[in-house]
Amino acid sequence: MISTKGRYAIRVMIDLAENKDNGLIPLKDIAERQDISKKYLEIIVKDMVTAGLVISASGKGGGYKLSRSPEKYTILEILEATEGPLSPVACIADKKYKCNRKKICKTLPMWEEYNELITDFFGSKKLSELASAE
């Protein structure tokens, strides 16, 4: 399940994409437009800054903006920046995960197929598509 953190991160990125020509956007403005607590958004944008998805500047005139154009973002990378890997099971999410049953696991192919569906779906959705949708 995608948490509110991941869903709100997408909303923040859409907001930044739709306001990309307005320079740095104060977090309070995003919070008001998106009806999300500013305190909660601070946690979310911190992850997004760390992931390099947004640029931040503090002080007077500070705020946030996209680090690249909206068509260069996938929804997958936004979700993974806030949610972590979306893989359904540990043996796929973490390549270093040691599973003694991997060679005989009858469910692994199903999990791999499901993981591919998730990755392909969210990886094919561009931020620009959502930002331009009415």
Side-chain angles (χ1 to χ4, degrees):
M1 179 187 314
I2 307 294
S3 72
T4 55
K5 190 175 183 184
R7 294 191 323 267
Y8 289 0
I10 294 169
R11 286 171 53 188
V12 167
M13 294 295 283
I14 290 169
D15 192 288
L16 290 173
E18 291 175 339
N19 291 284
K20 69 183 185 316
D21 297 329
N22 299 333
L24 293 165
I25 309 297
L27 199 58
K28 69 175 184 56
D29 293 355
I30 299 169
E32 287 174 18
R33 282 192 294 266
Q34 297 301 319
D35 194 27
I36 302 171
S37 154
K38 182 177 177 260
K39 198 82 164 154
Y40 194 33
L41 284 186
E42 288 171 354
I43 296 166
I44 294 169
V45 296
K46 182 178 182 230
D47 289 343
M48 294 164 46
V49 168
T50 300
L53 300 179
V54 298
I55 297 167
S56 69
S58 55
K60 186 174 169 120
Y64 297 87
K65 69 177 186 172
L66 299 177
S67 61
R68 53 191 195 265
S69 62
E71 57 276 353
K72 303 232 179 191
Y73 291 91
T74 66
I75 299 305
L76 179 66
E77 71 179 313
I78 297 167
L79 288 172
E80 287 182 335
T82 53
E83 299 282 340
L86 298 182
S87 301
V89 291
C91 59
I92 295 173
D94 182 1
K95 301 296 183 207
K96 295 177 186 173
Y97 183 82
K98 298 291 182 209
C99 177
N100 298 332
R101 297 185 46 82
K102 190 169 188 169
K103 291 182 179 169
I104 60 167
C105 182
K106 298 203 182 259
T107 63
L108 183 59
M110 173 186 66
W111 296 125
E112 289 173 332
E113 184 179 355
Y114 181 59
N115 186 62
E116 189 175 330
L117 289 171
I118 293 168
T119 303
D120 289 349
F121 179 78
F122 288 121
S124 70
K125 301 293 180 197
K126 300 290 185 187
L127 176 61
S128 56
E129 295 168 25
L130 297 179
S132 65
E134 292 292 321

